[in-house]
Amino acid sequence: MTTKELPKIYDPKKVEDKIYKIWEDSGFFNPDNLSERKETYANILPPPNANGELHIGHASGYVTMDLLGRYNRMLGKKTLLLPGKDHAGIQTQVVYEKKIKKERGISRYDLGRDKFYQEIYDFCIDRSQYMRNQEKKLGLSADWSREKFTLNPDIVNIALETFVEMYNEIDSEGNRMAYKGKRIINWCPRCASALADVEVEHAETQGKLYWIKYGPFVLATSRPETKLGDTAVAVHPDDDRYRDMVGKKYMIPGVLGEFEVEVIADKEVDMNFGSGAIKVTPAHSFVDNEIAIRHNLPSRQIIDESGKMMNNCGKYAGMTTQKAREAIVADMKKMGLIDHIEDNYIQNLSICERCKTPIEPIPSEQWFINVNHKNFSLKEEARKIILNEDIKIQPASFKKIMLNWIENVHDWCISRQIWWGPRIPAWYKDGEIKVQLESPGEGWVQEDDTFDTWFSSGQWAYTTLKYPDGKDFKDFYPSNNMIMGRDILPFWAFRMIILSLYKTKTIPFKNLYFTGLIRDEKGHKMSKSKGNGIEPLEMIEKFGTDSVRLSVLIGSSPGNDMNLGEIKIESYRNFVNKLWNISRFVLAKIGDNTADEKIKEENLTYADKWIVDKIKKIIVEVTDDLEKYNFSLAGEKLQNFTKNDFADWYLEVAKFENNQVEKNIILAKILKDLLKLWHPFIPFVTEEIWSNFNQAKLLLIETWPTLENWDDIVGENIETERYIFTKIQAIVTAIRNLRAENKIEPTKKLKTIIYTGNDFEIIKNEGILIKNLRTGVGELVIKKNGEKPAEALYTIASGIEIYLINEIDKVAEQQRIQTELSNLKKYTTDLAQRLSNKEFAKKAPAQIVVQEKEKLAKAQSDILEMEKYLEKLK
RNA sequence: GGACGAUUAGCUCAGUUGGUUAGAGCACUUCUCUUACAAAGAAGGGGUCACUGGUUCGAGUCCAGUAUCGUCCACCA
């Protein structure tokens, strides 16, 4: 027999890269190498933006996906985790433009469209390589041979075809599902691009509110420069102040001369804002535009796509809106048209999510997707799917959020005026338009605009699987789980659902799981500029991957944000080390070979039966929790079992109980099952320990623990006997407690007398446990009952009386027992009250009633004995 | 304005369908280097589960309202 020599402290750095290479070389990340398996499991991984690096949020998501992947692989499923990267249109273009400006002092126009595109492409490929290594560091068991990029030609082609199909989807009135239309859109002057609603942020900003004289009105506006585009004044229909004026037309003096407006009444107008009358600028305000449509008002555009005043603005033409505002206000002052100005006006300004530039709402030609098309309403189909729970959402509460979002969705603007991304396959010639993948021929010019990033990533669920004829599509679609941060529900989850429903006529995935966001210790959002971010690689370097994985898996719940600090990761590093040392002990004790030994049932002790019962429960519960996405709970239970049951009690017992053959078999079996249960959480350390068992298979593809594995070594009587060890535990704890409270030096052995009452038969032979479990017990007497010694520390637990023979301070001892007594009495009063309630007896389940009665009886008998002892003390 | 969360120990958070005297980690106090582990062990202190009502034999858990904080959506000119 050789003793396993493992180092005292687990060193992840020496282990992780080695283990990952073994996994990769094994080929088992690729489901094609698990071909004997029938049932499949697939998770298409969300592609991170290929323009940077992974942050802790990515890490958290990947760890969750890998947990499920590894678990399902161990369940014997043909498992695919399919990785990829996203080109992230606007964001990457902004990042790269900043980069070339800083490093080379140039703009994208200096490079030209083709060269610019090529450079970003190379940049992304380079970043992807870096990020892939980060993903591997996390232990992600993904099939790298299938890795995809949203701009891979095969991926793009499928996505573009969808657009062509949608263009050709025409209802009876001639409306296309994908259409070009003039709409007011959110326009970012800096990006020179349209933005989708979800790409716009709102920020409270201090501005000014101008009260201007406006013909017969005085009205308040924060944007006086838009006066040049006004075509009406609107008031609330119930506003008595203006009732007589509605329907009339007025000439309004302005900086470019008089112009005519009509007064209209519309419920959108808030009577309490300003003077109750507002100017209507249909071309440059979403609300005004809606009012204009309702009242059939003309629209006059005065701001162009560079954010500057247009040629119809006289001397203000060419000014930015900001400049024009100043100039126009100055001129209006001269003309006496300014009533007064409020300086401290807080307004909610729309800004570009990517570059924080204020948005200009302007009318523009853009491509849209009709989400409520008559042939196939994306909105309605999605609603049905979510309502019917064809896709199950975790946590369940997010179903409501999804439905609420679907309710409020508008047509989706999919064109972006940027260079980085797939170009829209629409071709123009002499006012004609054709939508098809290839150029129709000579003289046709392709649309300049590219697609919104989410139009391609929204198709990720099937483009990655070689839709429509690929084997992967047949094998793995719809996938089992889709996991993403809760912040991208409207961006991505919803779009994947609608596009997949349209294209494949079925759901993209069966389960949709949202993770929360990770914040810093104080609950703030992590960001580079604040410098409060936790870098996953740095933490891995410091504490090991397994610790980082545990820190994001335990103590979090689906969809809820989590605060994370370094201290938490450190504490899990300590736990991983604990598991390492547990294994070190077990491996050293059992030596090499326990395989041929047979357990003799009659040699099993109460501790053996207790721990076997415990591990069986853990197997059932952890499996159940994982099935229900309760990862945190599963982890906590495993942690409790590992530390509090297995290490603190069973390992200690195993050091001296005298049935070594059985002990070694049980220790080995439990440790092996424990490693399997832990593997999806902490794959590296478990695989490393596993390798010390000289196993034929990698833990990676081992079989998930089952109860059958235990049934053949421990028989039925475990059910009745497993409780005995918990009695012993209670006695041992009570003795330790008594000694600690009374400050008995640990080395001092005390004669101990135990009166067991009814438990005599089962406890009488367990003296070896009571003596050896660090209780400092010297001579030990176990009797059914007997005389109460006068000089002793005393306690009673569920009818078992314990005396530690020692000199005592009678007054202090009386006081201690008095306190315990009064606690017990309060407890019994509460119990008695509950039991005396007739309704309780009638309506509560019988099992609960019996339980409560037992509790009361035990407590009452304890009180009796304790009172007797107190008498004796006096 | 609309929707959705959160509020449990000093801190970070669990608590699965309502049922032991409400848990963990960190921090704190006392003791111990005991032959797996001091990155450890033993023992302990600390909570009227935000508040007010309600349903129930029984509520941290279900319902209604209030307060505070947060997130998302819409947006006011």
mmCIF file of all heavy atoms in Angstrom, chain A residues 202 221-222 273 345 563 573 581 584 636 843, chain B residues 13-14 21 36-37 39-41 57 75 77:
data_model
loop_
_atom_site.group_PDB
_atom_site.id
_atom_site.type_symbol
_atom_site.label_atom_id
_atom_site.label_comp_id
_atom_site.label_asym_id
_atom_site.label_seq_id
_atom_site.Cartn_x
_atom_site.Cartn_y
_atom_site.Cartn_z
ATOM 1 N N HIS A 202 -31.641 57.879 -21.094
ATOM 2 C CA HIS A 202 -32.180 59.163 -20.642
ATOM 3 C C HIS A 202 -31.403 59.628 -19.439
ATOM 4 O O HIS A 202 -31.110 58.852 -18.557
ATOM 5 C CB HIS A 202 -33.663 59.024 -20.304
ATOM 6 C CG HIS A 202 -34.465 58.577 -21.487
ATOM 7 N ND1 HIS A 202 -34.974 59.437 -22.410
ATOM 8 C CD2 HIS A 202 -34.784 57.337 -21.910
ATOM 9 C CE1 HIS A 202 -35.601 58.753 -23.346
ATOM 10 N NE2 HIS A 202 -35.506 57.473 -23.061
ATOM 11 N N THR A 221 -40.828 76.534 -23.584
ATOM 12 C CA THR A 221 -40.157 75.507 -24.378
ATOM 13 C C THR A 221 -38.704 75.414 -23.939
ATOM 14 O O THR A 221 -38.115 76.404 -23.492
ATOM 15 C CB THR A 221 -40.213 75.811 -25.884
ATOM 16 O OG1 THR A 221 -39.500 74.806 -26.576
ATOM 17 C CG2 THR A 221 -39.596 77.167 -26.195
ATOM 18 N N SER A 222 -38.145 74.228 -24.048
ATOM 19 C CA SER A 222 -36.717 74.084 -23.766
ATOM 20 C C SER A 222 -35.912 74.156 -25.067
ATOM 21 O O SER A 222 -34.702 74.156 -25.049
ATOM 22 C CB SER A 222 -36.446 72.761 -23.039
ATOM 23 O OG SER A 222 -36.768 71.679 -23.881
ATOM 24 N N PHE A 273 -48.341 72.006 -17.465
ATOM 25 C CA PHE A 273 -46.994 72.379 -17.869
ATOM 26 C C PHE A 273 -47.005 73.775 -18.464
ATOM 27 O O PHE A 273 -47.817 74.090 -19.338
ATOM 28 C CB PHE A 273 -46.426 71.389 -18.895
ATOM 29 C CG PHE A 273 -45.078 71.817 -19.394
ATOM 30 C CD1 PHE A 273 -43.940 71.547 -18.646
ATOM 31 C CD2 PHE A 273 -44.953 72.537 -20.571
ATOM 32 C CE1 PHE A 273 -42.695 71.966 -19.080
ATOM 33 C CE2 PHE A 273 -43.710 72.960 -21.013
ATOM 34 C CZ PHE A 273 -42.577 72.679 -20.265
ATOM 35 N N TYR A 345 -33.859 74.548 -14.866
ATOM 36 C CA TYR A 345 -34.879 73.619 -15.354
ATOM 37 C C TYR A 345 -34.233 72.251 -15.587
ATOM 38 O O TYR A 345 -33.277 72.100 -16.351
ATOM 39 C CB TYR A 345 -35.487 74.152 -16.660
ATOM 40 C CG TYR A 345 -36.520 73.226 -17.244
ATOM 41 C CD1 TYR A 345 -37.720 73.002 -16.577
ATOM 42 C CD2 TYR A 345 -36.275 72.573 -18.443
ATOM 43 C CE1 TYR A 345 -38.654 72.138 -17.106
ATOM 44 C CE2 TYR A 345 -37.216 71.718 -18.975
ATOM 45 C CZ TYR A 345 -38.412 71.503 -18.310
ATOM 46 O OH TYR A 345 -39.341 70.653 -18.820
ATOM 47 N N ASN A 563 -23.899 41.581 -5.183
ATOM 48 C CA ASN A 563 -22.711 42.351 -4.868
ATOM 49 C C ASN A 563 -21.570 41.383 -4.617
ATOM 50 O O ASN A 563 -21.739 40.395 -3.918
ATOM 51 C CB ASN A 563 -22.939 43.209 -3.633
ATOM 52 C CG ASN A 563 -24.028 44.239 -3.856
ATOM 53 O OD1 ASN A 563 -24.599 44.299 -4.945
ATOM 54 N ND2 ASN A 563 -24.304 45.033 -2.859
ATOM 55 N N ARG A 573 -11.887 30.265 -1.871
ATOM 56 C CA ARG A 573 -10.562 29.671 -2.030
ATOM 57 C C ARG A 573 -10.281 28.779 -0.805
ATOM 58 O O ARG A 573 -9.812 27.653 -0.923
ATOM 59 C CB ARG A 573 -9.526 30.807 -2.132
ATOM 60 C CG ARG A 573 -8.111 30.395 -2.468
ATOM 61 C CD ARG A 573 -7.273 30.080 -1.233
ATOM 62 N NE ARG A 573 -7.418 31.045 -0.165
ATOM 63 C CZ ARG A 573 -6.573 32.050 0.057
ATOM 64 N NH1 ARG A 573 -5.543 32.228 -0.737
ATOM 65 N NH2 ARG A 573 -6.765 32.848 1.081
ATOM 66 N N ASN A 581 -7.977 19.115 1.250
ATOM 67 C CA ASN A 581 -7.409 18.438 2.411
ATOM 68 C C ASN A 581 -8.250 17.260 2.875
ATOM 69 O O ASN A 581 -7.718 16.283 3.398
ATOM 70 C CB ASN A 581 -7.199 19.442 3.548
ATOM 71 C CG ASN A 581 -5.854 20.124 3.414
ATOM 72 O OD1 ASN A 581 -4.817 19.488 3.514
ATOM 73 N ND2 ASN A 581 -5.891 21.415 3.120
ATOM 74 N N ARG A 584 -7.112 14.648 0.652
ATOM 75 C CA ARG A 584 -5.775 14.235 1.040
ATOM 76 C C ARG A 584 -5.855 13.209 2.179
ATOM 77 O O ARG A 584 -5.210 12.170 2.156
ATOM 78 C CB ARG A 584 -5.014 15.469 1.526
ATOM 79 C CG ARG A 584 -3.530 15.419 1.329
ATOM 80 C CD ARG A 584 -2.991 16.826 1.321
ATOM 81 N NE ARG A 584 -2.988 17.410 2.649
ATOM 82 C CZ ARG A 584 -1.954 17.333 3.489
ATOM 83 N NH1 ARG A 584 -0.853 16.697 3.139
ATOM 84 N NH2 ARG A 584 -2.020 17.895 4.664
ATOM 85 N N GLU A 636 -24.823 25.373 -1.695
ATOM 86 C CA GLU A 636 -24.813 25.515 -0.238
ATOM 87 C C GLU A 636 -24.990 24.174 0.455
ATOM 88 O O GLU A 636 -24.345 23.888 1.455
ATOM 89 C CB GLU A 636 -25.950 26.448 0.199
ATOM 90 C CG GLU A 636 -25.563 27.896 0.220
ATOM 91 C CD GLU A 636 -26.711 28.749 0.727
ATOM 92 O OE1 GLU A 636 -26.840 28.871 1.948
ATOM 93 O OE2 GLU A 636 -27.482 29.260 -0.105
ATOM 94 N N LYS A 843 -57.318 20.912 12.269
ATOM 95 C CA LYS A 843 -56.965 21.247 10.882
ATOM 96 C C LYS A 843 -55.527 20.961 10.472
ATOM 97 O O LYS A 843 -55.265 20.755 9.298
ATOM 98 C CB LYS A 843 -57.276 22.729 10.636
ATOM 99 C CG LYS A 843 -58.769 22.999 10.639
ATOM 100 C CD LYS A 843 -59.068 24.429 10.288
ATOM 101 C CE LYS A 843 -60.577 24.676 10.337
ATOM 102 N NZ LYS A 843 -60.904 26.102 10.287
ATOM 103 P P C B 13 -25.724 41.937 -1.586
ATOM 104 O OP1 C B 13 -25.714 41.706 -3.047
ATOM 105 O OP2 C B 13 -26.441 43.092 -1.029
ATOM 106 O "O5'" C B 13 -26.245 40.643 -0.832
ATOM 107 C "C5'" C B 13 -27.243 39.848 -1.368
ATOM 108 C "C4'" C B 13 -26.932 38.414 -1.027
ATOM 109 O "O4'" C B 13 -26.376 38.301 0.299
ATOM 110 C "C3'" C B 13 -28.154 37.498 -0.969
ATOM 111 O "O3'" C B 13 -28.520 37.101 -2.272
ATOM 112 C "C2'" C B 13 -27.653 36.346 -0.114
ATOM 113 O "O2'" C B 13 -26.870 35.466 -0.861
ATOM 114 C "C1'" C B 13 -26.748 37.075 0.899
ATOM 115 N N1 C B 13 -27.424 37.358 2.177
ATOM 116 C C2 C B 13 -27.629 36.303 3.074
ATOM 117 O O2 C B 13 -27.237 35.176 2.766
ATOM 118 N N3 C B 13 -28.240 36.547 4.256
ATOM 119 C C4 C B 13 -28.645 37.777 4.553
ATOM 120 N N4 C B 13 -29.239 37.964 5.725
ATOM 121 C C5 C B 13 -28.456 38.864 3.650
ATOM 122 C C6 C B 13 -27.850 38.615 2.487
ATOM 123 P P A B 14 -29.991 36.605 -2.522
ATOM 124 O OP1 A B 14 -30.206 36.687 -3.967
ATOM 125 O OP2 A B 14 -30.972 37.183 -1.594
ATOM 126 O "O5'" A B 14 -29.786 35.070 -2.153
ATOM 127 C "C5'" A B 14 -30.575 34.509 -1.166
ATOM 128 C "C4'" A B 14 -30.144 33.089 -0.962
ATOM 129 O "O4'" A B 14 -29.313 33.044 0.223
ATOM 130 C "C3'" A B 14 -31.313 32.153 -0.669
ATOM 131 O "O3'" A B 14 -31.836 31.607 -1.853
ATOM 132 C "C2'" A B 14 -30.665 31.108 0.244
ATOM 133 O "O2'" A B 14 -29.903 30.192 -0.505
ATOM 134 C "C1'" A B 14 -29.734 31.994 1.069
ATOM 135 N N9 A B 14 -30.417 32.594 2.217
ATOM 136 C C8 A B 14 -30.686 33.912 2.447
ATOM 137 N N7 A B 14 -31.302 34.148 3.572
ATOM 138 C C5 A B 14 -31.461 32.886 4.127
ATOM 139 C C6 A B 14 -32.044 32.437 5.326
ATOM 140 N N6 A B 14 -32.597 33.243 6.225
ATOM 141 N N1 A B 14 -32.037 31.114 5.571
ATOM 142 C C2 A B 14 -31.487 30.295 4.668
ATOM 143 N N3 A B 14 -30.909 30.594 3.512
ATOM 144 C C4 A B 14 -30.926 31.919 3.296
ATOM 145 P P U B 21 -40.762 25.455 17.021
ATOM 146 O OP1 U B 21 -41.163 25.003 18.346
ATOM 147 O OP2 U B 21 -41.754 26.039 16.079
ATOM 148 O "O5'" U B 21 -39.527 26.472 17.158
ATOM 149 C "C5'" U B 21 -39.775 27.859 17.180
ATOM 150 C "C4'" U B 21 -38.550 28.557 17.710
ATOM 151 O "O4'" U B 21 -38.241 27.969 19.003
ATOM 152 C "C3'" U B 21 -37.290 28.382 16.851
ATOM 153 O "O3'" U B 21 -36.601 29.621 16.819
ATOM 154 C "C2'" U B 21 -36.455 27.376 17.627
ATOM 155 O "O2'" U B 21 -35.059 27.594 17.489
ATOM 156 C "C1'" U B 21 -36.860 27.684 19.060
ATOM 157 N N1 U B 21 -36.660 26.580 20.005
ATOM 158 C C2 U B 21 -35.940 26.870 21.144
ATOM 159 O O2 U B 21 -35.488 27.971 21.371
ATOM 160 N N3 U B 21 -35.754 25.808 21.999
ATOM 161 C C4 U B 21 -36.220 24.531 21.830
ATOM 162 O O4 U B 21 -35.983 23.692 22.683
ATOM 163 C C5 U B 21 -36.954 24.311 20.612
ATOM 164 C C6 U B 21 -37.142 25.323 19.758
ATOM 165 P P A B 36 -4.379 13.514 10.479
ATOM 166 O OP1 A B 36 -5.448 13.776 11.417
ATOM 167 O OP2 A B 36 -3.984 12.124 10.194
ATOM 168 O "O5'" A B 36 -4.736 14.183 9.077
ATOM 169 C "C5'" A B 36 -3.852 14.105 7.975
ATOM 170 C "C4'" A B 36 -4.224 15.171 6.978
ATOM 171 O "O4'" A B 36 -5.591 14.935 6.530
ATOM 172 C "C3'" A B 36 -4.241 16.591 7.547
ATOM 173 O "O3'" A B 36 -2.963 17.175 7.473
ATOM 174 C "C2'" A B 36 -5.241 17.286 6.628
ATOM 175 O "O2'" A B 36 -4.669 17.600 5.387
ATOM 176 C "C1'" A B 36 -6.273 16.164 6.409
ATOM 177 N N9 A B 36 -7.361 16.174 7.389
ATOM 178 C C8 A B 36 -7.412 15.543 8.588
ATOM 179 N N7 A B 36 -8.544 15.722 9.239
ATOM 180 C C5 A B 36 -9.284 16.534 8.403
ATOM 181 C C6 A B 36 -10.563 17.090 8.521
ATOM 182 N N6 A B 36 -11.367 16.885 9.566
ATOM 183 N N1 A B 36 -11.004 17.858 7.506
ATOM 184 C C2 A B 36 -10.200 18.052 6.457
ATOM 185 N N3 A B 36 -8.965 17.580 6.227
ATOM 186 C C4 A B 36 -8.568 16.822 7.246
ATOM 187 P P C B 37 -2.548 18.340 8.488
ATOM 188 O OP1 C B 37 -1.127 18.643 8.245
ATOM 189 O OP2 C B 37 -3.007 17.944 9.830
ATOM 190 O "O5'" C B 37 -3.412 19.592 8.019
ATOM 191 C "C5'" C B 37 -3.106 20.249 6.800
ATOM 192 C "C4'" C B 37 -4.227 21.177 6.435
ATOM 193 O "O4'" C B 37 -5.483 20.446 6.388
ATOM 194 C "C3'" C B 37 -4.524 22.288 7.439
ATOM 195 O "O3'" C B 37 -3.635 23.376 7.275
ATOM 196 C "C2'" C B 37 -5.951 22.666 7.077
ATOM 197 O "O2'" C B 37 -6.003 23.490 5.935
ATOM 198 C "C1'" C B 37 -6.544 21.296 6.723
ATOM 199 N N1 C B 37 -7.292 20.713 7.850
ATOM 200 C C2 C B 37 -8.664 20.979 7.929
ATOM 201 O O2 C B 37 -9.187 21.685 7.051
ATOM 202 N N3 C B 37 -9.378 20.459 8.956
ATOM 203 C C4 C B 37 -8.786 19.716 9.873
ATOM 204 N N4 C B 37 -9.534 19.228 10.864
ATOM 205 C C5 C B 37 -7.384 19.425 9.823
ATOM 206 C C6 C B 37 -6.679 19.950 8.798
ATOM 207 P P A B 39 -3.308 30.278 7.526
ATOM 208 O OP1 A B 39 -2.261 29.468 6.964
ATOM 209 O OP2 A B 39 -3.103 31.720 7.746
ATOM 210 O "O5'" A B 39 -4.653 30.108 6.673
ATOM 211 C "C5'" A B 39 -5.779 31.056 6.799
ATOM 212 C "C4'" A B 39 -6.935 30.446 6.033
ATOM 213 O "O4'" A B 39 -6.604 30.567 4.633
ATOM 214 C "C3'" A B 39 -7.059 28.966 6.362
ATOM 215 O "O3'" A B 39 -8.193 28.552 7.088
ATOM 216 C "C2'" A B 39 -6.585 28.199 5.075
ATOM 217 O "O2'" A B 39 -7.468 27.186 4.735
ATOM 218 C "C1'" A B 39 -6.496 29.299 4.024
ATOM 219 N N9 A B 39 -5.242 29.238 3.270
ATOM 220 C C8 A B 39 -3.954 29.355 3.724
ATOM 221 N N7 A B 39 -3.050 29.302 2.791
ATOM 222 C C5 A B 39 -3.797 29.142 1.624
ATOM 223 C C6 A B 39 -3.420 29.015 0.270
ATOM 224 N N6 A B 39 -2.177 29.051 -0.149
ATOM 225 N N1 A B 39 -4.411 28.872 -0.631
ATOM 226 C C2 A B 39 -5.668 28.853 -0.205
ATOM 227 N N3 A B 39 -6.142 28.962 1.036
ATOM 228 C C4 A B 39 -5.144 29.108 1.909
ATOM 229 P P A B 40 -9.625 28.613 6.972
ATOM 230 O OP1 A B 40 -10.077 28.571 5.582
ATOM 231 O OP2 A B 40 -10.046 29.669 7.880
ATOM 232 O "O5'" A B 40 -10.017 27.214 7.625
ATOM 233 C "C5'" A B 40 -9.466 25.995 7.113
ATOM 234 C "C4'" A B 40 -9.116 25.069 8.252
ATOM 235 O "O4'" A B 40 -7.922 25.527 8.930
ATOM 236 C "C3'" A B 40 -10.125 24.973 9.378
ATOM 237 O "O3'" A B 40 -11.236 24.179 9.031
ATOM 238 C "C2'" A B 40 -9.274 24.367 10.478
ATOM 239 O "O2'" A B 40 -9.032 23.010 10.231
ATOM 240 C "C1'" A B 40 -7.980 25.150 10.290
ATOM 241 N N9 A B 40 -7.965 26.356 11.122
ATOM 242 C C8 A B 40 -8.143 27.657 10.727
ATOM 243 N N7 A B 40 -8.083 28.523 11.712
ATOM 244 C C5 A B 40 -7.852 27.741 12.834
ATOM 245 C C6 A B 40 -7.692 28.060 14.195
ATOM 246 N N6 A B 40 -7.745 29.305 14.664
ATOM 247 N N1 A B 40 -7.468 27.043 15.056
ATOM 248 C C2 A B 40 -7.423 25.798 14.579
ATOM 249 N N3 A B 40 -7.566 25.372 13.324
ATOM 250 C C4 A B 40 -7.777 26.404 12.493
ATOM 251 P P G B 41 -12.636 24.484 9.686
ATOM 252 O OP1 G B 41 -13.618 23.655 8.975
ATOM 253 O OP2 G B 41 -12.842 25.936 9.805
ATOM 254 O "O5'" G B 41 -12.444 23.902 11.147
ATOM 255 C "C5'" G B 41 -12.196 22.516 11.321
ATOM 256 C "C4'" G B 41 -11.914 22.222 12.761
ATOM 257 O "O4'" G B 41 -10.735 22.945 13.176
ATOM 258 C "C3'" G B 41 -12.972 22.692 13.750
ATOM 259 O "O3'" G B 41 -14.085 21.816 13.783
ATOM 260 C "C2'" G B 41 -12.172 22.690 15.043
ATOM 261 O "O2'" G B 41 -11.953 21.379 15.497
ATOM 262 C "C1'" G B 41 -10.851 23.280 14.548
ATOM 263 N N9 G B 41 -10.827 24.749 14.683
ATOM 264 C C8 G B 41 -10.911 25.682 13.691
ATOM 265 N N7 G B 41 -10.855 26.907 14.134
ATOM 266 C C5 G B 41 -10.731 26.776 15.513
ATOM 267 C C6 G B 41 -10.629 27.758 16.536
ATOM 268 O O6 G B 41 -10.631 28.985 16.423
ATOM 269 N N1 G B 41 -10.536 27.179 17.799
ATOM 270 C C2 G B 41 -10.527 25.821 18.049
ATOM 271 N N2 G B 41 -10.423 25.461 19.323
ATOM 272 N N3 G B 41 -10.615 24.897 17.104
ATOM 273 C C4 G B 41 -10.711 25.437 15.874
ATOM 274 P P C B 57 -58.570 28.505 10.247
ATOM 275 O OP1 C B 57 -59.290 27.230 10.099
ATOM 276 O OP2 C B 57 -59.313 29.766 10.501
ATOM 277 O "O5'" C B 57 -57.455 28.331 11.364
ATOM 278 C "C5'" C B 57 -57.818 28.410 12.742
ATOM 279 C "C4'" C B 57 -56.647 27.970 13.589
ATOM 280 O "O4'" C B 57 -56.395 26.563 13.354
ATOM 281 C "C3'" C B 57 -55.324 28.632 13.255
ATOM 282 O "O3'" C B 57 -55.194 29.874 13.902
ATOM 283 C "C2'" C B 57 -54.315 27.618 13.765
ATOM 284 O "O2'" C B 57 -54.170 27.681 15.160
ATOM 285 C "C1'" C B 57 -55.001 26.300 13.390
ATOM 286 N N1 C B 57 -54.586 25.780 12.084
ATOM 287 C C2 C B 57 -53.294 25.238 11.946
ATOM 288 O O2 C B 57 -52.539 25.233 12.922
ATOM 289 N N3 C B 57 -52.909 24.744 10.758
ATOM 290 C C4 C B 57 -53.755 24.769 9.715
ATOM 291 N N4 C B 57 -53.334 24.278 8.557
ATOM 292 C C5 C B 57 -55.065 25.311 9.825
ATOM 293 C C6 C B 57 -55.440 25.796 11.015
ATOM 294 P P C B 75 -40.885 57.687 -26.023
ATOM 295 O OP1 C B 75 -41.404 57.989 -27.354
ATOM 296 O OP2 C B 75 -39.484 57.226 -25.861
ATOM 297 O "O5'" C B 75 -41.095 58.944 -25.076
ATOM 298 C "C5'" C B 75 -42.347 59.622 -25.074
ATOM 299 C "C4'" C B 75 -42.439 60.534 -23.895
ATOM 300 O "O4'" C B 75 -42.089 59.809 -22.685
ATOM 301 C "C3'" C B 75 -41.456 61.704 -23.880
ATOM 302 O "O3'" C B 75 -41.902 62.775 -24.698
ATOM 303 C "C2'" C B 75 -41.455 62.063 -22.401
ATOM 304 O "O2'" C B 75 -42.634 62.749 -22.049
ATOM 305 C "C1'" C B 75 -41.475 60.688 -21.760
ATOM 306 N N1 C B 75 -40.110 60.196 -21.454
ATOM 307 C C2 C B 75 -39.486 60.678 -20.313
ATOM 308 O O2 C B 75 -40.085 61.490 -19.606
ATOM 309 N N3 C B 75 -38.240 60.249 -20.017
ATOM 310 C C4 C B 75 -37.626 59.370 -20.808
ATOM 311 N N4 C B 75 -36.405 58.983 -20.470
ATOM 312 C C5 C B 75 -38.241 58.861 -21.991
ATOM 313 C C6 C B 75 -39.467 59.298 -22.266
ATOM 314 P P A B 77 -38.976 68.519 -22.012
ATOM 315 O OP1 A B 77 -37.555 68.394 -22.362
ATOM 316 O OP2 A B 77 -39.313 68.839 -20.623
ATOM 317 O "O5'" A B 77 -39.680 69.608 -22.921
ATOM 318 C "C5'" A B 77 -39.277 69.774 -24.247
ATOM 319 C "C4'" A B 77 -40.415 70.306 -25.054
ATOM 320 O "O4'" A B 77 -41.618 69.553 -24.830
ATOM 321 C "C3'" A B 77 -40.855 71.722 -24.725
ATOM 322 O "O3'" A B 77 -39.943 72.670 -25.280
ATOM 323 C "C2'" A B 77 -42.205 71.791 -25.365
ATOM 324 O "O2'" A B 77 -42.095 71.964 -26.758
ATOM 325 C "C1'" A B 77 -42.738 70.384 -25.109
ATOM 326 N N9 A B 77 -43.692 70.340 -23.990
ATOM 327 C C8 A B 77 -43.730 71.127 -22.878
ATOM 328 N N7 A B 77 -44.718 70.834 -22.063
ATOM 329 C C5 A B 77 -45.362 69.797 -22.690
ATOM 330 C C6 A B 77 -46.492 69.032 -22.356
ATOM 331 N N6 A B 77 -47.193 69.215 -21.244
ATOM 332 N N1 A B 77 -46.865 68.048 -23.193
ATOM 333 C C2 A B 77 -46.157 67.857 -24.301
ATOM 334 N N3 A B 77 -45.076 68.506 -24.729
ATOM 335 C C4 A B 77 -44.734 69.472 -23.880
#
